[in-house]
């Protein structure tokens, strides 16, 4: 074999080896995408099952505390009180019914949080958070109520979103009622710059919004929902599925885009709180 033929053969072998490596890399990338996608679907499917179980076991989750209903600053009132986030004139509305002790809610938040924030920031989506306390009724304790009151206090301070996220990121085990300790809730406020103030501490310790949270939970009970989280896009349930499609960050963005087709994104600044 001539030197040229040997050189051509070496190059051909190297090219074939390089092509095989690229094919292997492509298969690996595809496999990783499938694994991640399956994990997201699995987490949200599990969250749906856990949420239904929690709802079926619910014993009320209310509170014996009597007192005037003190709504958080900028809250949505009426029959289904809520805390709004995002631009008030965004064309699409996401309603989320959650319980801060609910592990399924934490799973939902940890998967979907970034996408919801991104859609809110672009003016595509307005979110209404409805606070429920069903785990207190299921498991005993007061962590659902105490955490919801603290989140409402954070709303007064204009810090609801980061504190809401901190609660879910640091959620204890469902059987651990550490959120029932106001000291723990104030400790977590330190993770949100500017939140740990005398006004916030007083609001948490006094249970300023307890009766408002009870009212919100009563709306959940009357709503006939299957469990937490319950997620509605423009009034249509999308958790764990919308039609035949599974909820995922990508599908949420697609569904919001479809709902907003031909509509301008919101530009109004959120109200105080």
């Amino acid at each position: 074999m001539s030197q040229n033929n040997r050189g051509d053969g070496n190059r051909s072998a190297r090219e074939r080896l390089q092509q095989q490596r690229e094919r292997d890399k492509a298969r690996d990338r595809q496999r990783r995408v499938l694994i991640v996608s399956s994990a997201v679907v699995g987490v949200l499917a599990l969250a749906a099952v856990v949420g239904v179980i929690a709802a079926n076991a619910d014993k009320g989750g209310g509170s014996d505390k009597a007192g005037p209903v003190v709504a958080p600053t900028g809250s949505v009132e009426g029959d289904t009180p809520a805390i709004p986030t995002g631009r008030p004139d965004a064309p699409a509305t996401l309603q989320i019914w959650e319980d801060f002790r609910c592990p399924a809610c934490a799973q939902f938040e940890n998967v979907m949080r970034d996408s919801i924030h991104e859609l809110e920031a672009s003016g595509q989506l307005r979110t209404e958070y409805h606070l429920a306390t069903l785990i207190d009724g299921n498991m005993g304790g007061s962590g659902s109520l105490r955490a919801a009151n603290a989140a409402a206090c954070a709303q007064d301070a204009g810090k609801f979103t980061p504190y809401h996220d901190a609660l879910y990121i640091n959620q204890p085990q469902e059987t651990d009622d550490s959120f029932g300790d106001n000291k723990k809730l104030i400790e977590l406020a330190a993770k949100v710059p500017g939140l740990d103030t005398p006004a916030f501490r007083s609001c948490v310790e006094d249970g300023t919004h307890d009766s408002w949270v009870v009212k919100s939970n009563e709306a959940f009970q009357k709503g006939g929902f299957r469990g937490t989280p319950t997620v509605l896009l423009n009034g249509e349930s999308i958790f764990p599925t919308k039609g035949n499609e599974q909820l995922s960050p990508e599908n949420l963005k697609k569904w919001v885009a479809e709902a907003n087709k031909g509509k301008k994104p919101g530009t109004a600044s959120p109200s105080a709180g």
Side-chain angles (χ1 to χ4, degrees):
M1 180 181 292
S2 70
Q3 188 69 30
N4 285 341
N5 286 339
R6 283 198 299 273
D8 290 342
N10 289 339
R11 282 194 298 273
S12 179
R14 286 196 299 270
E15 289 170 356
R16 287 197 298 273
L17 181 59
Q18 181 64 28
Q19 290 170 354
Q20 184 61 44
R21 287 174 176 169
E22 292 298 327
R23 286 193 293 270
D24 291 342
K25 288 180 181 178
R27 281 197 295 269
D28 286 342
R29 285 194 297 269
Q30 184 179 26
R31 185 163 55 251
R32 286 195 294 271
V33 169
L34 289 173
I35 290 172
V36 171
S37 298
S38 298
V40 169
V41 169
V43 164
L44 293 178
L46 174 61
V49 171
V50 173
V52 170
I53 292 172
N56 289 338
D58 181 43
K59 299 180 182 64
S63 171
D64 294 331
K65 176 172 179 173
V69 174
V70 180
T73 303
S75 63
V76 176
E77 291 311 303
D79 293 335
T80 56
I83 293 176
T85 61
R87 300 185 185 279
D89 59 343
T93 299
L94 191 70
Q95 290 183 307
I96 304 176
W97 295 81
E98 292 184 324
D99 181 327
F100 285 109
R101 285 182 71 185
C102 164
C105 298
Q107 291 167 345
F108 166 79
E109 285 293 339
N110 291 334
V111 171
M112 303 300 300
R113 177 183 300 116
D114 291 345
S115 297
I116 292 173
H117 290 343
E118 181 182 333
L119 289 165
E120 288 178 337
S122 65
Q124 300 299 312
L125 187 69
R126 176 181 187 264
T127 306
E128 294 180 353
Y129 289 94
H130 302 267
L131 308 184
T133 61
L134 64 90
I135 303 298
D136 286 354
N138 297 342
M139 307 296 295
S142 61
S144 300
L145 175 63
R146 299 265 50 77
N149 172 69
C153 295
Q155 168 73 1
D156 289 339
K159 306 285 185 179
F160 173 79
T161 295
Y163 188 66
H164 163 276
D165 294 350
L167 288 172
Y168 279 118
I169 291 169
N170 295 278
Q171 185 189 70
Q173 293 294 316
E174 186 178 13
T175 54
D176 177 359
D177 192 34
S178 61
F179 278 179
D181 183 354
N182 287 331
K183 292 180 181 178
K184 176 65 175 178
L185 299 170
I186 291 171
E187 176 186 313
L188 289 174
K191 296 181 178 294
V192 179
L195 178 57
D196 187 5
T197 64
F200 174 78
R201 289 187 174 219
S202 177
C203 182
V204 171
E205 291 168 349
D206 293 344
T208 299
H209 300 299
D210 279 2
S211 293
W212 182 85
V213 174
V214 171
K215 179 181 176 182
S216 178
N217 186 67
E218 289 172 348
F220 171 79
Q221 299 296 333
K222 294 174 183 176
F225 303 117
R226 298 179 64 198
T228 54
T230 289
V231 186
L232 309 173
L233 177 60
N234 291 343
E236 179 182 1
S237 176
I238 62 170
F239 180 87
T241 60
K242 177 179 181 289
N244 295 321
E245 294 184 281
Q246 194 82 29
L247 176 62
S248 68
E250 294 74 21
N251 277 343
L252 177 62
K253 292 177 182 178
K254 182 184 75 170
W255 298 337
V256 169
E258 290 171 351
N260 290 351
K261 187 174 182 180
K263 301 176 183 177
K264 295 181 179 180
T267 57
S269 298
S271 60

